[in-house]
Amino acid sequence: MGYENFWGATETQIIDYEIIGNNGTTLVTSKVSDSTTKKLEYRQHDPTLSSFTGGHIIIVNSDMVSKYTYSYPYYLRNGSFDLSKQNTPTLQRLVVPKFLDLTNHWAKDSIEKLYSIGVFDDSSVKFMPGEIMTRYDFTIGVLKAVDTRVTESTTKKTSTKSIFKDVSAKDKGYMYIESAVNQGIINGFTAELFKPDDPLTRAQAAAVLVRALGMEGRAPASAYSKFADDRSIPAWARNSAYVANELGIIHGDANRRFNAQQHLTRAEASAMLQRFVDFLEDDLQKNYRDDVLNLN
């Protein structure tokens, strides 16, 4: 069992052994998990030695954890033990983006982090944090965050005609839109129109992020979110709002309202995407390992 994305890979094997000897049978269960993870970290520079104050570094770690349980009826012995090994990490320094309109902005760190890892990559000197986030830019950002770039080669070869009338197959981001639709991460407004320049609502963002994680089924059968305006959340987004809030990706406002139909600014969407990336970095692997290694 396992998963793999840009932020890491985990493979876990569970093997049951039956060892038959002269003194009886010993039962052993082996649970071994090998993982590689990428961690994004900001490193401050000495301003006297550099023209910029700091930048992000990707730290690649790999390790192995295992758990063994055994039962030796002949000697009336039962027990378990754990083993682990941590390898030496490797470092990769990323580019330092600069925007003229982010000085002292509350979302500055989130936005610069997303640009450092390539979630956003336009070459403008202004980010325009107060402008509305579009469906097009958000969809591409989410797919880059989960690293679905494996679809690029096949998409470039096979996509001669766009699946939507309002997004050209020659568009540099088309491969991400098509991939997101094919994977069920986002839907068009109609079978023919994607409406790429339309504003993104909080309900739409929650649905896209949770579907990208494949966790839309994690909400309980009668999910009721902690938001004060839960009843105003569209039925198609209610489970996603619940899961996104439980994962810490989406928060309510000061009055605990979700504000499902509110349009997200580019800054607000960036903060949401950063929390999404943080989950991919750390919590996804932890949740996966805990669920599998503690499986009975």
Side-chain angles (χ1 to χ4, degrees):
M1 295 170 282
Y3 74 86
E4 181 176 6
N5 62 35
F6 174 77
W7 293 105
T10 292
E11 180 179 292
T12 302
Q13 293 184 344
I14 302 178
I15 305 175
D16 290 324
Y17 296 93
E18 183 180 47
I19 304 171
I20 301 175
N22 294 332
N23 293 325
T25 300
T26 302
L27 302 176
V28 180
T29 296
S30 164
K31 299 180 181 180
V32 181
S33 179
D34 292 296
S35 295
T36 299
T37 59
K38 294 181 181 179
K39 175 78 175 178
L40 196 65
E41 183 176 301
Y42 185 84
R43 295 282 179 88
Q44 193 77 21
H45 294 164
D46 186 337
T48 62
L49 301 176
S50 175
S51 60
F52 50 93
T53 58
H56 286 95
I57 293 176
I58 287 184
I59 305 172
V60 182
N61 293 290
S62 59
D63 63 13
M64 182 275 288
V65 296
S66 57
K67 182 176 184 178
Y68 301 88
T69 58
Y70 60 88
S71 174
Y72 196 0
Y74 182 79
Y75 287 108
L76 299 178
R77 291 179 180 175
N78 298 298
S80 66
F81 61 91
D82 301 328
L83 295 175
S84 64
K85 179 182 179 182
Q86 183 77 40
N87 296 321
T88 303
T90 60
L91 306 179
Q92 176 188 353
R93 184 169 294 281
L94 302 177
V95 297
V96 181
K98 286 291 183 183
F99 295 102
L100 301 178
D101 55 355
L102 289 183
T103 303
N104 298 323
H105 193 280
W106 65 268
K108 179 177 183 293
D109 291 344
S110 296
I111 294 166
E112 290 185 346
K113 176 177 180 178
L114 294 174
Y115 267 89
S116 289
I117 60 177
V119 172
F120 296 138
D121 61 1
D122 61 72
S123 57
S124 173
V125 295
K126 291 188 177 182
F127 182 74
M128 296 179 290
E131 296 294 316
I132 294 299
M133 174 61 77
T134 66
R135 283 167 47 85
Y136 176 88
D137 287 340
F138 190 77
T139 302
I140 294 174
V142 170
L143 264 70
K144 286 185 175 181
V146 295
D147 193 50
T148 55
R149 284 171 289 191
V150 291
T151 64
E152 287 188 26
S153 58
T154 55
T155 305
K156 287 180 178 178
K157 293 178 182 178
T158 61
S159 296
T160 57
K161 182 179 180 182
S162 173
I163 59 176
F164 294 113
K165 289 183 176 180
D166 54 356
V167 183
S168 172
K170 296 180 180 180
D171 189 293
K172 67 176 184 178
Y174 173 74
M175 68 186 95
Y176 296 105
I177 303 299
E178 181 181 324
S179 180
V181 172
N182 289 340
Q183 294 180 60
I185 294 174
I186 194 171
N187 302 313
F189 266 82
T190 68
E192 297 183 336
L193 299 176
F194 183 74
K195 295 193 176 182
D197 297 324
D198 271 21
L200 183 81
T201 67
R202 287 173 57 83
Q204 292 170 346
V208 168
L209 293 172
V210 172
R211 289 172 190 161
L213 290 171
M215 292 187 174
E216 58 271 28
R218 294 292 293 269
S222 56
Y224 182 84
S225 73
K226 300 175 183 176
F227 298 112
D229 59 347
D230 182 84
R231 292 186 178 181
S232 68
I233 301 175
W236 55 266
R238 186 166 286 120
N239 284 355
S240 294
Y242 176 92
V243 174
N245 181 240
E246 289 295 307
L247 297 179
I249 296 173
I250 292 181
H251 307 305
D253 63 15
N255 296 310
R256 297 189 305 107
R257 292 179 303 218
F258 181 72
N259 301 314
Q261 301 305 324
Q262 178 181 309
H263 295 159
L264 283 172
T265 65
R266 286 170 60 82
E268 291 167 341
S270 296
M272 201 175 289
L273 273 170
Q274 189 225 317
R275 293 192 291 269
F276 176 74
V277 167
D278 289 344
F279 179 82
L280 290 173
E281 281 186 64
D282 299 318
D283 295 337
L284 179 60
Q285 185 200 55
K286 183 179 185 302
N287 287 351
Y288 182 88
R289 270 192 167 175
D290 288 349
D291 286 348
V292 173
L293 292 180
N294 295 321
L295 183 68
N296 294 319

